[in-house]
Amino acid sequence: DIQMTQSSSSFSVSLGDRVTITCKASEDIYNRLAWYQQKPGNAPRLLISGATSLETGVPSRFSGSGSGKDYTLSITSLQTEDVATYYCQQYWSTPLTFGAGTKLELK
Amino acid sequence: DVQLVESGGGLVQPGGSRKLSCAASGFTFSSFGMHWVRQAPEKGLEWVAYISSGSSTIYYADTVKGRFTISRDNPKNTLFLQMTSLRSEDTAMYYCAIDASAWFAYWGQGTLVTVSA
């Protein structure tokens, strides 16, 4: 199974910050990576697929990058509504696997 | 609008069974593969099972293989998850999700299954 590691389980942020969340796969996943946002009490929401492709309706302050084993989700100028937990997911092989999540908390 | 509405959750005794449903609307259900994904309380996401649009391809996570069965009724736009031999570690919110080439394009709001005596 491919293990997905998100280096930070949580970190404190301020409104307007640029935030970078990292995700590392245990092997090359050839950009087969998606990012999801989950707010408390809600289902996850797809933000990015193919490591860099922003879903329709997702604000342009979100972006994804990376290749091979290493991927990042960036948020420029963090807004209140971006405070959430973010998960990466690989779909290079089954079983489909997620990172443990990175929770953003306001300082 | 796309809608996925899960139902069937509740309190189940260890060793018991439960069948979850996911009613789909707002898209051509029979054209899309579907997944179940679960989330234990205060934990992360775990993929559970996948079924292709015509039910010809099915995959399971090792943690549920042999105990859970995914199925679908395309004329009724409904996805199912039959769960047997339930364990405490199966306690979770269960989400159905639309497949988009192995990522999860859209999620329902989930149904909570609690396995406890």
Side-chain angles (χ1 to χ4, degrees):
Chain A
D1 297 3
I2 296 177
Q3 308 304 315
M4 304 301 291
T5 302
Q6 293 181 237
S7 54
S8 297
S9 59
S10 67
F11 55 87
S12 296
V13 296
S14 299
L15 297 180
D17 280 353
R18 178 183 176 89
V19 176
T20 299
I21 298 170
T22 62
C23 178
K24 187 177 184 71
S26 59
E27 60 186 80
D28 195 327
I29 57 170
Y30 303 96
N31 288 4
R32 304 311 201 267
L33 184 97
W35 288 98
Y36 303 88
Q37 176 193 66
Q38 187 178 32
K39 297 180 181 179
N42 286 359
R45 171 197 180 193
L46 176 66
L47 298 177
I48 287 171
S49 58
T52 61
S53 297
L54 205 64
E55 288 299 299
T56 302
V58 175
S60 59
R61 62 181 179 273
F62 289 89
S63 64
S65 64
S67 62
K69 298 180 184 179
D70 297 301
Y71 299 87
T72 60
L73 173 69
S74 296
I75 311 171
T76 59
S77 191
L78 187 89
Q79 305 297 302
T80 305
E81 59 266 30
D82 303 333
V83 174
T85 300
Y86 293 85
Y87 295 92
C88 60
Q89 177 239 331
Q90 68 80 20
Y91 52 95
W92 173 243
S93 67
T94 54
L96 306 176
T97 48
F98 293 88
T102 298
K103 184 176 182 179
L104 302 184
E105 297 170 313
L106 284 177
K107 288 180 183 172
Chain B
D1 283 3
V2 171
Q3 270 209 314
L4 297 171
V5 179
E6 300 92 337
S7 61
L11 179 63
V12 188
Q13 291 197 333
S17 299
R18 200 81 174 183
K19 188 171 186 176
L20 307 183
S21 300
C22 169
S25 60
F27 66 104
T28 306
F29 179 73
S30 59
S31 296
F32 288 87
M34 297 291 295
H35 299 267
W36 288 98
V37 179
R38 69 184 180 182
Q39 186 170 34
E42 305 304 315
K43 299 294 185 183
L45 300 165
E46 180 188 16
W47 169 77
V48 172
Y50 163 80
I51 186 167
S52 62
S53 58
S55 303
S56 60
T57 301
I58 288 175
Y59 299 117
Y60 296 99
D62 285 346
T63 51
V64 306
K65 198 175 295 182
R67 301 187 299 122
F68 289 13
T69 302
I70 189 171
S71 63
R72 63 192 295 161
D73 184 335
N74 282 346
K76 293 186 177 179
N77 292 339
T78 306
L79 175 73
F80 302 102
L81 186 69
Q82 176 69 54
M83 306 184 294
T84 63
S85 303
L86 283 162
R87 309 164 179 166
S88 58
E89 54 264 38
D90 296 317
T91 293
M93 184 72 79
Y94 285 75
Y95 298 100
C96 61
I98 301 172
D99 176 72
S101 301
W103 67 89
F104 310 104
Y106 190 83
W107 303 58
Q109 284 304 303
T111 188
L112 181 63
V113 174
T114 303
V115 183
S116 175

